[in-house]
Amino acid sequence: MRTSLWFLPCRRSVLSFGSALRGLNVLRHGAPHPGRPRKWVGGLASARPRSRSGRCYPRGGRAERSCPAVDPEQGPGQGSRMLNVPSQSFPAPSSQQRVASGGRSKVPLKQGRSLMDWIRLTKSGKDLTGLKGRLIEVTEEELKKHNTKDDCWICIRGFVYNVTPYMEYHPGGEDELMRAAGSDGTDLFDQVHRWVNYESMLKECLVGRMAVKPALPKDYHEEKKVLNGMLPKSQVADTLAKEGCSSPSYDWFQTDSSVTIVIYTKQKDINLDSVIVDHQDDSFRAEILIKDYSYIIHVELSHEIEEDFSVRVVENVGKIEIVLKKKENASWKRLGHPLENHNSLIPRKDTGLYYRKCRLISKEGVTHDTKLFCLMLPPSTHLQVPVGQHVYLKLTITGTEIVKPYTPVSDSLLSEFKEPVLLNNKYIYFLIKIYPAGLFTPELDQLQIGDFVSVSNPEGSFKISQFQELEDLFLLAAGTGFTPMVKILNYALTNIPSLRFDVEFVLSAPTSEWNGKWGHISPALLSEFLKRSSDKSKVLICICGPTPFTEQGIRLLRDRNFSKEEIHSFTA
């Protein structure tokens, strides 16, 4: 199999990229694995001298300013356009890292219409609803009346908001909001940024609750839609049956010192990445990811337990065992009191994001403006971010909760050839560029060791099963698009036999000292890089970068007769 990485730095310089590649699991251990010859092509940093600062020397000899590995407020997986956080250049086509054929257009905001300007407006005391502080019950008929740009009400999860004042502050533009004008915008909202804390962002725009089920947007069609809730069990069962699935179930048993919760998923592709467990105070919550659904166990435990617990998965039968340690050796008469969505199978898009507070353990400088953050999960949490997926970080800034998506990277990026000293399953690493004039990253950078950041459940549609029987893997990354590729590369180099690994650097605006390839993504560059090993080889192409790069890349790939199934676009 051949794996090729085509990297286009977003600035005029070469990325400080060698330590990232050499830090990957396979490359850290010296000689190639038997049967895995590696061919290094095109300006790979490990083939060139490096300065003490970690920057790459061009072949001309003098060090250029290194290009940061991440651009969190401009790139996919690193902070992208959303309802409440406008970024500089990367609008998100969807709220998850999905395969996409194109993205939504970024609309330039007028002067004085930034996120901070919106926060100031909401705190100014101005009446943004037009109701002078009253909350009303909104009927379907009343909601339909407010469907113009000068008078726009939208329902999200049963709450109605007057978004007219927000029109000029919305990064997606007025037309995007108008798609849901006078109707229920829940599904349209979920398609793009269901993880956004709209309650905080739009609390001063709250008109009231819906009295009855609102009308759906004119351009939205879905059979058997249920408003703001779970699908009926019969519909879930029908859907799972079509997909060859059986409904999961659970049981529990105890000894003098422990309680074991056993979940029967009846799936053979369940692993530890599929299991998310949180114990906060007396609340115990387990979420099992089954295809596009979540099976949830959520109870208020009848007795106290210790913080730490163990999770075991029997993959061949899809059985999950969660062993809890009792604080007292007393007999439990029941597991606990059911809480929200307990023993329910819910479409993942309807579950909402669940956050837990993670402690900042370390910050290590990578470049002059890029840092590697290490966050520690609570001892009472089990969470592993699957390859190719991202999470959301949440901070409260000037009284408003701000959320940004970030793609975790490998712990082996701690520093060149440095072995990780922390347990992988309790720590998450993020490579983040700090923008002095930004809103989120300066606040993140000001956190002290020991401070907390809220981290969500993983999101994304990339599946490891896409590697099965793969013959050619091509990774196209521009700027911050490198971050999702880190774990993909690590997985490929570790788990795929007979691997040949090529790397090609392309600079968009090089200096005269650069002797490698240069230019923007184009048919000529792709034709030289994307070559199947055989006419009918199984191919996967992953692409990630700023929106113009990604959208143009997908068009060019389709022009070269690569199918939609062969292209995975990472967005956030």
Side-chain angles (χ1 to χ4, degrees):
M1 174 184 168
R2 181 177 66 159
T3 297
S4 298
L5 172 66
W6 190 77
F7 185 74
L8 185 87
C10 57
R11 303 276 169 84
R12 298 184 57 188
S13 54
V14 178
L15 171 69
S16 180
F17 186 60
S19 60
L21 284 177
R22 289 187 286 177
L24 294 173
N25 188 43
V26 172
L27 303 184
R28 272 193 291 116
H29 291 85
H33 189 281
R36 293 187 189 170
R38 292 198 299 275
K39 175 185 175 184
W40 307 100
V41 299
L44 180 65
S46 63
R48 308 204 310 274
R50 295 173 57 85
S51 69
R52 292 183 180 178
S53 65
R55 299 173 181 175
C56 302
Y57 283 173
R59 280 187 279 258
R62 185 172 61 85
E64 293 181 89
R65 182 174 60 86
S66 63
C67 180
V70 209
D71 195 353
E73 301 193 17
Q74 296 185 18
Q78 300 303 318
S80 55
R81 180 174 58 77
M82 59 190 74
L83 179 64
N84 65 337
V85 184
S87 66
Q88 300 300 314
S89 66
F90 189 76
S94 67
S95 66
Q96 299 188 20
Q97 293 182 341
R98 301 176 184 272
V99 177
S101 59
R104 294 159 54 239
S105 298
K106 173 80 173 181
V107 177
L109 297 176
K110 297 178 181 178
Q111 187 72 23
R113 296 297 184 269
S114 68
L115 171 61
M116 184 56 71
D117 292 318
W118 171 251
I119 293 175
R120 291 192 189 101
L121 178 61
T122 62
K123 297 183 181 301
S124 67
K126 184 176 180 180
D127 179 15
L128 301 182
T129 65
L131 298 175
K132 298 181 179 179
R134 292 183 298 117
L135 293 178
I136 64 174
E137 190 174 68
V138 183
T139 64
E140 182 177 356
E141 292 73 20
E142 181 65 25
L143 178 62
K144 288 180 179 179
K145 295 177 183 177
H146 303 271
N147 61 358
T148 66
K149 291 183 179 180
D150 296 327
D151 182 16
C152 182
W153 290 10
I154 293 176
C155 174
I156 304 177
R157 306 194 202 291
F159 290 91
V160 179
Y161 299 90
N162 181 356
V163 299
T164 312
Y166 185 66
M167 285 283 182
E168 293 186 344
Y169 296 84
H170 184 228
E174 296 177 353
D175 291 342
E176 189 68 21
L177 287 177
M178 287 303 297
R179 293 180 64 196
S183 64
D184 178 16
T186 303
D187 292 283
L188 294 175
F189 177 83
D190 285 347
Q191 289 173 18
V192 182
H193 30 225
R194 72 183 183 89
W195 35 270
V196 170
N197 192 332
Y198 62 90
E199 298 101 326
S200 177
M201 285 298 302
L202 299 176
K203 62 185 177 182
E204 299 302 326
C205 300
L206 179 63
V207 172
R209 284 181 174 271
M210 280 301 301
V212 295
K213 176 181 176 180
L216 293 173
K218 295 178 292 184
D219 59 347
Y220 184 79
H221 301 281
E222 181 180 345
E223 295 181 358
K224 298 182 180 180
K225 178 70 181 67
V226 177
L227 176 66
N228 300 333
M230 297 180 295
L231 292 171
K233 288 188 177 181
S234 60
Q235 186 174 342
V236 171
D238 291 344
T239 303
L240 290 177
K242 292 178 183 177
E243 298 177 358
C245 302
S246 301
S247 296
S249 59
Y250 84 101
D251 200 353
W252 69 283
F253 62 87
Q254 62 181 312
T255 66
D256 288 342
S257 59
S258 67
V259 170
T260 301
I261 300 172
V262 183
I263 300 171
Y264 304 95
T265 67
K266 304 167 188 175
Q267 306 295 309
K268 292 186 177 181
D269 56 352
I270 298 296
N271 53 43
L272 286 174
D273 288 355
S274 308
V275 184
I276 304 170
V277 182
D278 289 279
H279 172 230
Q280 299 182 14
D281 299 323
D282 294 331
S283 171
F284 174 86
R285 186 181 189 275
E287 181 173 348
I288 315 303
L289 309 180
I290 305 174
K291 298 186 184 298
D292 294 327
Y293 294 86
S294 289
Y295 178 63
I296 297 175
I297 301 297
H298 195 190
V299 295
E300 180 182 343
L301 295 174
S302 60
H303 293 71
E304 292 185 344
I305 62 172
E306 302 289 350
E307 280 190 333
D308 59 319
F309 53 82
S310 63
V311 179
R312 175 173 174 263
V313 175
V314 184
E315 295 188 14
N316 60 336
V317 294
K319 183 174 75 170
I320 301 165
E321 296 179 352
I322 305 171
V323 181
L324 312 177
K325 298 178 183 178
K326 295 179 178 179
K327 275 196 172 181
E328 298 180 356
N329 294 341
S331 178
W332 293 20
K333 293 183 179 180
R334 58 191 178 95
L335 181 61
H337 178 73
L339 298 176
E340 182 182 11
N341 294 331
H342 173 62
N343 196 24
S344 297
L345 187 66
I346 306 172
R348 289 185 65 185
K349 67 182 183 66
D350 294 336
T351 59
L353 287 177
Y354 189 86
Y355 287 85
R356 72 279 303 149
K357 290 185 177 181
C358 297
R359 187 186 299 272
L360 178 63
I361 296 300
S362 67
K363 290 188 292 184
E364 181 173 331
V366 178
T367 70
H368 65 285
D369 59 2
T370 303
K371 295 184 179 180
L372 185 69
F373 291 78
C374 175
L375 300 179
M376 182 177 69
L377 292 166
S380 54
T381 290
H382 169 85
L383 183 152
Q384 297 180 186
V385 181
V387 172
Q389 297 199 12
H390 62 278
V391 297
Y392 299 96
L393 304 186
K394 180 170 66 175
L395 292 174
T396 299
I397 303 174
T398 64
T400 300
E401 290 185 340
I402 306 298
V403 180
K404 284 265 191 178
Y406 290 91
T407 302
V409 296
S410 171
D411 55 9
S412 56
L413 299 190
L414 278 169
S415 63
E416 190 173 352
F417 299 114
K418 178 178 178 180
E419 293 288 342
V421 296
L422 304 176
L423 297 175
N424 293 342
N425 61 352
K426 280 297 181 184
Y427 298 85
I428 309 178
Y429 298 86
F430 300 94
L431 203 57
I432 299 175
K433 179 179 177 181
I434 308 301
Y435 288 85
L439 180 63
F440 191 87
T441 56
E443 193 77 14
L444 190 66
D445 190 36
Q446 289 176 12
L447 294 178
Q448 301 299 310
I449 302 302
D451 287 345
F452 289 90
V453 180
S454 294
V455 178
S456 78
N457 287 358
E459 290 270 289
S461 63
F462 186 87
K463 293 179 173 59
I464 290 298
S465 59
Q466 294 173 256
F467 284 131
Q468 293 178 0
E469 300 179 358
L470 198 63
E471 297 172 79
D472 295 308
L473 172 63
F474 297 101
L475 309 177
L476 308 180
T480 63
F482 166 66
T483 50
M485 307 305 180
V486 172
K487 283 193 171 183
I488 291 178
L489 273 174
N490 199 30
Y491 181 88
L493 291 170
T494 306
N495 295 283
I496 301 176
S498 303
L499 180 67
R500 194 186 86 185
F501 180 32
D502 302 339
V503 179
E504 187 75 60
F505 286 101
V506 182
L507 297 189
S508 57
T511 65
S512 59
E513 297 170 332
W514 175 248
N515 297 323
K517 298 185 183 302
W518 63 278
H520 296 279
I521 190 168
S522 66
L525 285 174
L526 289 183
S527 63
E528 184 176 349
F529 179 72
L530 298 177
K531 296 179 180 178
R532 293 177 182 265
S533 56
S534 65
D535 291 340
K536 296 183 178 180
S537 64
K538 184 177 179 182
V539 174
L540 175 63
I541 303 172
C542 297
I543 183 169
C544 190
T547 299
F549 171 86
T550 303
E551 293 182 348
Q552 176 72 355
I554 292 174
R555 284 193 293 268
L556 294 176
L557 292 171
R558 297 305 307 278
D559 290 344
R560 291 186 55 78
N561 298 319
F562 290 103
S563 66
K564 288 184 178 180
E565 292 71 25
E566 294 175 323
I567 304 170
H568 187 98
S569 169
F570 287 100
T571 58

